[in-house]
Amino acid sequence: MSFRKLPVYLAVLAGSIIAFHIVGFIKAEGSPVAISSHASIPGYALQNAHIYLTDKVHSRSLLHMREAVRSIEYLKNNASGASKKHLTTGLNALKRVESMMDSGLFHSDSLNINSVIALNALIYYEIEHAKAFIEQEKRPQAMKALELAIANLRNALDFAKGNKKEYEVQIFSDINSVTSNYYADKDDMIVILDGILMELEDLDVAYSQ
């Protein structure tokens, strides 16, 4: 290979790599919203909001809180039924924190409590979609939704305190019983997922105003 032609080959290679990633991104965004990249943003943003608040970098904390608000609002606008109702509650919880931050009030307890509310709303949203995917014989999509639910549970455990952690751990265990048995009977999976949805409905910290 001529060294003079090397930049041309590198340019072609770089172009191919960029095209590959663009196609992958389009495919990801073509997925149902519940398992698209949008669904993973809130937990990441809330964790960063907490980290920067702890470090007293308030402007960055507010920036990530706004990102969490925008992402949950997007998910809410693409949801329906019980999920939409719970995401609305989670969104309102985060907007309360955002409003406080806008006023110069940065309280970790408020951020923690309202983050748990929002994250449990997201968990409900993912579980409801996982159930729908199972019913439609779409197990890969169902497992992806459950993976996102588990990620949000891990985030919720970071924010939850006292006996609230026990409830989150129980829900984590129930979800794991589904993800660890990919080929379980469809009806058995749906029964477990229905039970998790009921647990989330009963969890008083989840949707308290």
Side-chain angles (χ1 to χ4, degrees):
M1 181 189 297
S2 171
F3 285 105
R4 292 181 181 179
K5 294 183 179 180
L6 186 58
V8 176
Y9 285 106
L10 289 176
V12 172
L13 178 61
S16 300
I17 292 171
I18 292 170
F20 174 80
H21 284 291
I22 289 174
V23 170
F25 177 79
I26 291 172
K27 286 182 178 179
E29 292 310 299
S31 302
V33 174
I35 56 174
S36 72
S37 60
H38 298 285
S40 62
I41 293 173
Y44 162 84
L46 289 172
Q47 285 284 5
N48 280 339
H50 174 76
I51 290 168
Y52 283 115
L53 189 152
T54 301
D55 292 342
K56 300 188 185 303
V57 186
H58 293 159
S59 61
R60 297 296 297 273
S61 182
L62 175 56
L63 182 69
H64 286 286
M65 179 55 65
R66 285 177 175 158
E67 184 180 16
V69 167
R70 285 195 303 270
S71 57
I72 292 184
E73 191 160 31
Y74 180 88
L75 295 173
K76 183 210 73 173
N77 290 339
N78 286 275
S80 60
S83 285
K84 191 179 189 75
K85 180 187 74 172
H86 295 323
L87 285 172
T88 298
T89 300
L91 178 62
N92 290 338
L94 294 190
K95 282 185 174 180
R96 287 195 291 272
V97 182
E98 181 185 29
S99 179
M100 290 175 63
M101 289 180 168
D102 276 327
S103 301
L105 301 174
F106 291 83
H107 298 308
S108 60
D109 285 347
S110 178
L111 187 149
N112 291 346
I113 292 168
N114 288 290
S115 291
V116 171
I117 294 172
L119 289 167
N120 278 334
L122 283 167
I123 294 164
Y124 189 101
Y125 173 75
E126 299 297 349
I127 297 297
E128 194 169 66
H129 276 82
K131 177 186 171 184
F133 286 135
I134 291 293
E135 291 172 338
Q136 297 163 17
E137 303 290 353
K138 297 179 179 178
R139 291 203 181 199
Q141 292 92 326
M143 293 301 163
K144 176 61 177 178
L146 291 173
E147 286 173 11
L148 289 166
I150 287 174
N152 284 320
L153 265 169
R154 290 194 176 109
N155 288 322
L157 281 166
D158 287 340
F159 292 113
K161 294 183 178 180
N163 63 346
K164 304 307 179 190
K165 280 186 178 289
E166 297 176 15
Y167 299 137
E168 303 289 347
V169 169
Q170 179 58 51
I171 293 170
F172 185 98
S173 175
D174 291 339
I175 296 176
N176 189 58
S177 71
V178 177
T179 58
S180 63
N181 194 357
Y182 185 91
Y183 296 104
D185 181 77
K186 170 182 172 180
D187 291 337
D188 290 342
M189 282 186 166
I190 290 172
V191 168
I192 295 172
L193 295 175
D194 275 333
I196 296 170
L197 291 173
M198 290 179 63
E199 287 175 29
L200 287 164
E201 290 281 7
D202 292 339
L203 189 55
D204 60 347
V205 73
Y207 311 119
S208 59
Q209 296 293 330

